[in-house]
Amino acid sequence: MSTDPLKKRKTKVIRGDGGTPETKRIRGDADQDVRVYNEEVELEGRDTEQDYILYKSTCEAVAKLMAEIQDLKASGAKEGSMEVEERRRRGSVHFIALKKLNRMAHMRLKKARDQTHEAKQRVDVLHLQLQNLLYEVLHLQKEIGKCLEFRSQHEEIELVSVDEFFQEAPAEISRPHLTKEDPHQLTLARLDWELEQRKRLAEQYKSSLCTKEKILKGIEMKKEYLNSLQPGLQAIMQASLPVQEYLSMPFERVQKQAEVARHLPPPLYVLLVQASAYGQACGKRMCVCVYVYVSDTNLSVSISGDVDEAKALSRPPEDSQDDESDSDAEEEQQNTMPALFIWTLNVSLVHAVKRSPPSCDVDGSILHLFFYYLMNLNILTVKVKVSASADLSGAISAGELLNPESLLNCLYASDHGQETPNPANRYQFDKVGIVSFADYVAELGHPYVWVQSLGGLHFSSDSPQVEGPHSSLSASHMESTMKLLRGRLQARLALHKQFSSLEHSIVPVSNECQHLFPAKVVSRLAHWTMMSYEEFVELSFVQHVMKAGLVRNTDLFFMATVERGTARLQAAVVLNPRYPEITPLFSLSLLWKGERSGRTDDNLRAMESEVNVFRSELQGPRPGLQLLTNQMQRLCVCLDVYLETESQVCDGSEGPREFPREKMCLRTARGPNRLKPFKYNHPQGFFSHR
Amino acid sequence: MNNNKSGCIFICVCFYFLKSYALTNRRLVLLHMSVFSQTFSPCGRFLAAGNNYGEIAVFSLSAALSPDATGMSQKPILTFAAHEGPVFSLISTDTHLLSAGNGEISAWSWAELTKRVSNEIVNQLSDNSLIVGGGDNNIHIMDMETGTFKSVLQGHKDYIHCLSFREREGELLSGGEDGAVRIWDARTGQTVHCIEVFKYEECTRPQFGKWIGCLTTDSDWMLCGGGPALSLWHLRSMSPTSVFSLAGCQREAVFYQDLILTVGEGPYVSHCVPGGTVKAQIPSSSPSLNTLTLNLNSNEHRVMTTAGSSDQIDVFTNFSYRAFSLSF
């Protein structure tokens, strides 16, 4: 009790009953026989009601006394009088009583408070205990829960089923007498058994690993051995190459080709096979060797494996003057034309013009043909390149002759190579929005019909290509196409040379053709220029040729001007790409004392006929490459005859003729239209009519 | 050329030696073709034309004029090589077609030609005389039955372009390159008259020359032209009565009813009135025309055909316009 120490001190105070105002403290008194006055004990004996009444009465008494004193004082009593003193003493006694009562009250209060406090404390303690217990309960509940939920790892182990376990496990592990009753023991036993089994299996595993390692090592060793053989074989093959070349048995080359050729798409493969077969079969005129090579691919498509292999086989083409090599087909992927997925593998065909008899002047030029296969469109295209042995920069007008874009135009009649021959492509184009294939010809090559035939692809108008490429189709076309190609190259190169001569106003006439013309030809070629189709169409004197349908926009057009004195003859020449199979067509216009053309003047028409129609005379020795120059020379001769036999009296003037008669003519006019004698007779050297 | 009822047949021919040549591309050939002569069959249903390559083509006129004619009916039913040089003259007898070229005269049976067979027949003709004017400046008269030449008329100084026969008087007219029109007595073979047309001021055209290209006679009247302008002559007085002002040189002229039809340089057929005016010029398809014939043998196929410096033969059903063209 907190008041105990205080109480202990207080008990030192001796108090009398009735309460005297004087107090005495006796300190440090450890006497046990001092009278202990315990007011608290007294407190319990007193009644609160009574105390309250006492308090009231005491207060009244004091009040009364005070009033009496007051009265006394008012009535003039002296200070220190007996009544006043008495009353003062009584009042003080009452004050003491009041003080006691006050103390009592305080003590009661304190006691009550203490009691309350105590009780509260007890309640608090209990409360705390309750809380603790509750907490503990909760905790325990959680723990229980955890325990109940606890999954032991052992439950994750797949154990064999109980029956199996009992069958398989040895007795010391399974201990059936124990485990049959006790599930805990059973589980333990099962786990034991599991452990045992796993140990055994682990042992086995280790041993198998060991054996595997050993076997692998063995394999490695054998592989290394084999690899070491490969360089040796390569060395042998390399060494045998010169031998192969010497013996003309290029096995290795052929083999490598076959290797690459396996990866080619079918049409290209057909082409390759046919070309190499033809190359081997053709005689002395053309020596054909077939090469398959892979050049740099400039596309981003990747067909892995094939392309890698193909790249690994890359080697440059052999540039042989006497040889033809195969053309490679290249495929490119076009970003602008997603519909055309072109596969690339190079197959290149190099066509060389064989050295011919000494008179031929196209010695050793090579025609390179690059064949492409467009997979999505299923057509073959070709690009061409000419590497000529001679310098070809001489002639300005010959610019178009060897233009790779048009060199192979119209190899067969009307085979322009501007549109795809596969009718199915029309639908593909419509889907992608491409209007015509001609726009892409420059990049993708020309899809000539003969190229398709060489690859064995046949497109008829009613049915698209359904089966694969036909090699028989390719075979039947190969020879004729090769001959045409050779002829085309020869013709173009010959023309090139002739043009450079024509541009220098010299008409080259070979020795074999001298007999066609008289020794002296006065008219001379003044100009030789090239024209475009549009310029040609504008000319007034060519309309009859246009109307007869003999001119196409694939033809080449030239203007020749022949002059003698004041006379000027303009000749518009139409050169078909298939020259010299098709004769060049001349249309004439003469400016001499007025303008005349073949339409107005029958003699000019006869001159046109003389130059255009008599191909068999003018083509010279085979293969007829002199045709154009002979035509030019004949034109000059005819102009001579025309001018010299023209009657002097044309404009009514007499006087010296501008062109004296030098040519020998039997007769200067014949027939109702009085044609001049344009035909030259050799060796007599006179002119006659046909 | 006229088909004379008395049996004399005239052919103008030129002799020349010619090498053969190969004909290549047909279109090229057609482009440079000229038709020099035409004649109708005796029945009037067929037309034969000769060109500068020595070919003769036979066309079926009845097929071409029928209402259901197609493009193919304007092509010849038969084309054959007759001579080595140009076929300058064709003439029809009652049974045969005579063609002249390169120094030879060939006769073909019309019956076989219409059956598309051409076999040359020589000397199987009835007794007529064939009068041939040639490049050797002479006129030869040949007996067709025997095939021998009976007489030669000499006098021209240059080759002969055209011949004409004056029935009533039995005289032969010839025009040549030397510019002279000679009138011969057919029996004696002597020159009766010689007219040098270029000496007449009305007609002469020195810028074209003096040659006489066409000649035709109507007994009293004669038409001649060529280098000189086409002129109508009165034969009694031997003087030109009218001169036709046509631009080019005329190569053929005929009398038809009261018209004069003439062709020559220039792509048209000229219709002229004997008074001297040029009434009309009907366009044709060739730049210049060499020959003009009228089908007088048949009533239902009465057409005029012209041909010249092209492979087209124009057919005029109504003489005022070109109806269609036959083509070699």
Side-chain angles (χ1 to χ4, degrees):
Chain A
M1 294 285 241
S2 59
T3 57
D4 275 343
L6 199 57
K7 191 92 32 100
K8 285 276 193 268
R9 273 204 306 273
K10 277 190 184 164
T11 54
K12 300 287 188 226
V13 177
I14 301 170
R15 297 189 187 225
D17 199 18
T20 55
E22 287 154 63
T23 55
K24 284 185 188 171
R25 273 197 194 197
I26 302 169
R27 285 197 218 153
D29 193 351
D31 283 0
Q32 295 298 321
D33 48 330
V34 173
R35 248 199 343 184
V36 176
Y37 171 59
N38 203 348
E39 256 184 334
E40 285 80 19
V41 173
E42 192 188 342
L43 192 62
E44 288 156 20
R46 291 173 77 103
D47 186 15
T48 49
E49 289 284 334
Q50 275 187 336
D51 280 343
Y52 185 63
I53 295 167
L54 192 60
Y55 162 71
K56 274 205 149 165
S57 66
T58 314
C59 282
E60 279 173 20
V62 169
K64 199 166 74 168
L65 279 172
M66 287 299 147
E68 281 171 13
I69 290 175
Q70 170 100 27
D71 289 335
L72 282 174
K73 283 207 172 164
S75 62
K78 297 189 267 246
E79 255 336 288
S81 74
M82 284 283 296
E83 293 91 14
V84 172
E85 284 298 315
E86 194 200 340
R87 281 182 179 85
R88 214 161 51 118
R89 270 193 307 264
R90 277 204 285 187
S92 308
V93 171
H94 287 307
F95 268 121
I96 292 166
L98 279 176
K99 278 177 100 171
K100 180 167 173 87
L101 283 172
N102 185 35
R103 250 194 338 268
M104 288 289 118
H106 277 295
M107 281 203 295
R108 273 197 198 103
L109 188 64
K110 191 167 156 231
K111 196 172 165 192
R113 275 198 180 143
D114 285 344
Q115 278 175 345
T116 315
H117 190 67
E118 229 174 280
K120 194 164 150 239
Q121 285 220 330
R122 277 204 298 276
V123 167
D124 278 347
V125 163
L126 285 174
H127 196 66
L128 268 174
Q129 277 181 346
L130 175 65
Q131 293 275 14
N132 283 342
L133 285 171
L134 277 177
Y135 185 69
E136 205 163 329
V137 162
L138 196 63
H139 176 72
L140 282 173
Q141 275 176 346
K142 276 194 194 156
E143 290 297 306
I144 289 166
K146 269 196 218 162
C147 283
L148 284 176
E149 284 171 6
F150 176 69
R151 295 260 166 270
S152 159
Q153 265 197 342
H154 85 276
E155 290 177 18
E156 289 163 16
I157 305 172
E158 285 178 10
L159 302 170
V160 296
S161 70
V162 185
D163 303 323
E164 257 187 72
F165 164 69
F166 277 123
Q167 278 168 18
E168 289 176 6
E172 62 264 20
I173 296 183
S174 64
R175 287 171 289 147
H177 50 281
L178 276 179
T179 55
K180 285 240 165 82
E181 281 85 41
D182 192 354
H184 174 68
Q185 291 296 328
L186 177 64
T187 316
L188 282 175
R190 283 168 78 189
L191 285 171
D192 277 337
W193 173 235
E194 189 72 23
L195 181 66
E196 176 112 15
Q197 276 191 314
R198 284 194 184 195
K199 276 188 191 151
R200 233 184 286 157
L201 290 172
E203 293 281 342
Q204 278 179 7
Y205 173 67
K206 269 195 204 110
S207 58
S208 340
L209 263 180
C210 280
T211 46
K212 179 180 148 196
E213 287 293 310
K214 276 193 211 123
I215 293 169
L216 274 177
K217 276 200 193 98
I219 289 173
E220 277 300 321
M221 270 173 47
K222 286 182 186 154
K223 260 195 198 164
E224 269 178 39
Y225 176 65
L226 283 175
N227 283 343
S228 70
L229 285 183
Q230 169 79 339
L233 286 174
Q234 285 281 12
I236 293 174
M237 279 217 305
Q238 288 291 87
S240 74
L241 266 180
V243 178
Q244 283 181 25
E245 294 293 334
Y246 185 72
L247 294 176
S248 307
M249 290 194 296
F251 289 125
E252 194 203 336
R253 197 156 32 103
V254 168
Q255 201 183 9
K256 272 207 186 144
Q257 263 183 195
E259 175 77 26
V260 176
R262 273 193 300 128
H263 301 294
L264 288 173
L268 287 175
Y269 186 75
V270 167
L271 208 160
L272 172 67
V273 165
Q274 292 299 325
S276 47
Y278 182 70
Q280 283 169 10
C282 70
K284 300 192 195 88
R285 282 198 139 262
M286 278 198 289
C287 179
V288 180
C289 284
V290 167
Y291 289 111
V292 176
Y293 76 98
V294 176
S295 67
D296 299 321
T297 56
N298 55 349
L299 61 120
S300 55
V301 76
S302 59
I303 301 177
S304 58
D306 287 339
V307 169
D308 293 339
E309 251 182 354
K311 279 190 178 165
L313 291 174
S314 103
R315 78 196 249 189
E318 290 186 30
D319 193 12
S320 162
Q321 290 199 343
D322 291 334
D323 293 337
E324 279 183 339
S325 41
D326 287 333
S327 38
D328 298 342
E330 289 185 339
E331 302 174 344
E332 300 168 1
Q333 185 181 37
Q334 288 279 357
N335 290 328
T336 54
M337 272 182 55
L340 292 185
F341 174 66
I342 313 168
W343 191 69
T344 59
L345 177 68
N346 287 338
V347 173
S348 75
L349 180 71
V350 173
H351 177 105
V353 176
K354 171 82 173 141
R355 265 197 307 275
S356 320
S359 61
C360 177
D361 30 304
V362 286
D363 192 7
S365 306
I366 303 182
L367 177 69
H368 298 261
L369 294 169
F370 297 92
F371 292 98
Y372 298 68
Y373 176 60
L374 308 184
M375 245 172 62
N376 269 16
L377 298 183
N378 194 27
I379 56 173
L380 289 167
T381 63
V382 65
K383 279 196 193 176
V384 68
K385 194 180 85 166
V386 177
S387 53
S389 56
D391 176 31
L392 290 179
S393 58
I396 305 167
S397 60
E400 273 301 306
L401 283 182
L402 291 173
N403 183 356
E405 290 292 311
S406 63
L407 179 61
L408 297 179
N409 250 0
C410 300
L411 205 61
Y412 293 91
S414 69
D415 186 3
H416 301 291
Q418 293 296 322
E419 274 304 325
T420 165
N422 186 356
N425 295 149
R426 184 73 251 150
Y427 305 107
Q428 287 169 302
F429 286 168
D430 286 342
K431 259 197 275 182
V432 193
I434 297 164
V435 174
S436 97
F437 190 73
D439 305 330
Y440 299 93
V441 158
E443 302 160 55
L444 298 174
H446 295 268
Y448 294 114
V449 176
W450 57 269
V451 177
Q452 320 303 324
S453 308
L454 285 186
L457 294 172
H458 173 64
F459 301 108
S460 63
S461 51
D462 33 349
S463 67
Q465 180 83 358
V466 278
E467 304 126 23
H470 304 289
S471 59
S472 57
L473 181 65
S474 171
S476 56
H477 278 79
M478 178 62 70
E479 176 157 17
S480 53
T481 309
M482 286 298 152
K483 287 206 172 113
L484 282 174
L485 284 170
R486 187 165 156 273
R488 172 65 60 97
L489 181 66
Q490 263 186 322
R492 291 291 167 100
L493 289 171
L495 271 182
H496 217 282
K497 260 182 111 173
Q498 289 165 2
F499 279 13
S500 56
S501 177
L502 287 176
E503 280 182 5
H504 290 100
S505 303
I506 300 167
V507 181
V509 179
S510 71
N511 289 333
E512 301 97 352
C513 304
Q514 281 295 343
H515 68 279
L516 293 170
F517 314 109
K520 185 178 173 196
V521 177
V522 185
S523 305
R524 58 170 207 93
L525 174 67
H527 301 288
W528 173 264
T529 49
M530 204 175 116
M531 275 200 297
S532 69
Y533 177 66
E534 290 76 29
E535 286 169 8
F536 179 81
V537 167
E538 297 290 303
L539 297 171
S540 55
F541 52 94
V542 305
Q543 299 308 316
H544 63 291
V545 170
M546 309 273 313
K547 254 199 287 185
L550 289 165
V551 168
R552 295 226 161 69
N553 59 352
T554 49
D555 297 332
L556 302 168
F557 304 95
F558 302 93
M559 177 68 87
T561 310
V562 181
E563 285 179 357
R564 180 177 172 176
T566 55
R568 203 157 144 259
L569 178 70
Q570 282 189 314
V573 184
V574 178
L575 191 70
N576 193 291
R578 286 167 62 205
Y579 173 87
E581 271 174 45
I582 308 277
T583 320
L585 200 57
F586 282 69
S587 307
L588 303 177
S589 161
L590 180 64
L591 289 162
W592 180 55
K593 297 181 184 171
E595 183 169 345
R596 324 162 195 204
S597 79
R599 306 307 103 220
T600 56
D601 188 337
D602 276 333
N603 279 308
L604 278 180
R605 188 157 177 265
M607 277 167 67
E608 284 178 359
S609 155
E610 191 74 13
V611 167
N612 289 338
V613 175
F614 301 101
R615 177 208 163 80
S616 54
E617 293 174 11
L618 289 172
Q619 69 182 4
R622 292 199 65 202
L625 299 173
Q626 312 278 335
L627 185 54
L628 182 66
T629 47
N630 286 349
Q631 280 180 310
M632 278 307 308
Q633 185 74 337
R634 179 166 276 192
L635 188 65
C636 296
V637 170
C638 287
L639 182 65
D640 272 348
V641 172
Y642 182 96
L643 293 171
E644 287 172 11
T645 55
E646 188 71 2
S647 166
Q648 179 184 347
V649 294
C650 266
D651 54 356
S653 67
E654 303 281 336
R657 300 164 70 102
E658 186 182 353
F659 303 108
R661 176 84 64 86
E662 287 169 5
K663 303 279 182 298
M664 201 164 48
C665 310
L666 293 184
R667 185 182 290 275
T668 54
R670 183 186 78 160
N673 45 8
R674 304 171 68 245
L675 295 177
K676 295 172 189 292
F678 289 117
K679 179 169 170 280
Y680 178 70
N681 296 293
H682 183 83
Q684 302 88 348
F686 67 94
F687 285 86
S688 60
H689 294 88
R690 284 203 179 262
Chain B
M1 285 203 295
N2 303 347
N3 192 350
N4 192 336
K5 291 197 180 58
S6 77
C8 289
I9 292 158
F10 307 90
I11 288 184
C12 183
V13 103
C14 293
F15 298 79
Y16 257 97
F17 174 69
L18 190 68
K19 271 195 224 166
S20 68
Y21 52 84
L23 294 177
T24 54
N25 187 347
R26 187 71 186 164
R27 264 189 294 179
L28 193 64
V29 161
L30 289 176
L31 192 66
H32 294 95
M33 186 180 287
S34 297
V35 176
F36 286 121
S37 51
Q38 320 168 66
T39 187
F40 286 98
S41 64
C43 54
R45 292 194 317 225
F46 297 94
L47 172 71
N51 68 9
N52 59 328
Y53 296 120
E55 295 173 344
I56 295 178
V58 179
F59 298 86
S60 167
L61 204 58
S62 44
L65 288 172
S66 74
D68 50 345
T70 62
M72 282 314 295
S73 5
Q74 288 162 5
K75 286 281 174 186
I77 60 171
L78 171 67
T79 311
F80 59 97
H83 298 277
E84 282 182 7
V87 181
F88 283 121
S89 288
L90 282 176
I91 198 160
S92 238
T93 67
D94 294 331
T95 52
H96 288 83
L97 173 69
L98 295 171
S99 65
N102 196 23
E104 62 191 17
I105 302 167
S106 306
W108 316 83
S109 158
W110 268 116
E112 291 190 1
L113 287 178
T114 55
K115 280 192 254 162
R116 297 187 173 91
V117 170
S118 62
N119 290 320
E120 187 179 321
I121 298 179
V122 190
N123 298 331
Q124 301 297 320
L125 305 170
S126 50
D127 59 343
N128 283 324
S129 300
L130 183 64
I131 301 179
V132 177
D136 60 350
N137 309 349
N138 299 327
I139 303 174
H140 304 260
I141 304 180
M142 186 175 93
D143 185 359
M144 282 207 291
E145 195 177 319
T146 59
T148 55
F149 284 99
K150 291 194 292 197
S151 55
V152 178
L153 306 174
Q154 294 177 323
H156 276 284
K157 299 186 184 58
D158 210 335
Y159 73 94
I160 294 162
H161 272 277
C162 40
L163 292 170
S164 189
F165 193 72
R166 216 172 150 198
E167 287 177 24
R168 228 173 38 202
E169 281 83 359
E171 287 174 350
L172 177 66
L173 285 84
S174 65
E177 177 75 11
D178 58 357
V181 175
R182 285 178 180 267
I183 305 179
W184 311 80
D185 188 328
R187 278 160 303 149
T188 61
Q190 300 301 315
T191 307
V192 174
H193 289 286
C194 174
I195 308 168
E196 290 185 316
V197 181
F198 62 94
K199 295 215 170 119
Y200 289 79
E201 275 183 41
E202 314 93 315
C203 324
T204 186
R205 292 191 299 192
Q207 70 271 28
F208 289 117
K210 55 187 184 177
W211 50 280
I212 301 295
C214 63
L215 192 63
T216 184
T217 179
D218 195 14
S219 282
D220 286 333
W221 301 93
M222 175 185 80
L223 271 176
C224 67
L230 184 70
S231 43
L232 183 66
W233 291 66
H234 189 229
L235 282 175
R236 191 77 44 101
S237 55
M238 294 294 167
S239 61
T241 49
S242 14
V243 174
F244 303 96
S245 53
L246 292 165
C249 303
Q250 302 309 304
R251 297 184 189 147
E252 182 118 20
V254 294
F255 287 105
Y256 178 68
Q257 292 171 354
D258 50 354
L259 269 185
I260 292 165
L261 305 168
T262 175
V263 293
E265 287 177 2
Y268 40 79
V269 178
S270 307
H271 293 216
C272 309
V273 180
T277 48
V278 177
K279 203 174 79 159
Q281 289 188 313
I282 316 298
S284 76
S285 53
S286 309
S288 64
L289 294 168
N290 290 330
T291 164
L292 176 146
T293 44
L294 298 167
N295 191 7
L296 302 168
N297 295 337
S298 153
N299 278 329
E300 65 263 22
H301 301 313
R302 189 159 285 236
V303 298
M304 174 174 78
T305 56
T306 61
S309 305
S310 74
D311 59 321
Q312 308 279 321
I313 300 170
D314 296 330
V315 177
F316 296 75
T317 46
N318 174 336
F319 293 179
S320 304
Y321 62 86
R322 180 184 76 90
F324 58 90
S325 297
L326 304 168
S327 165
F328 260 77

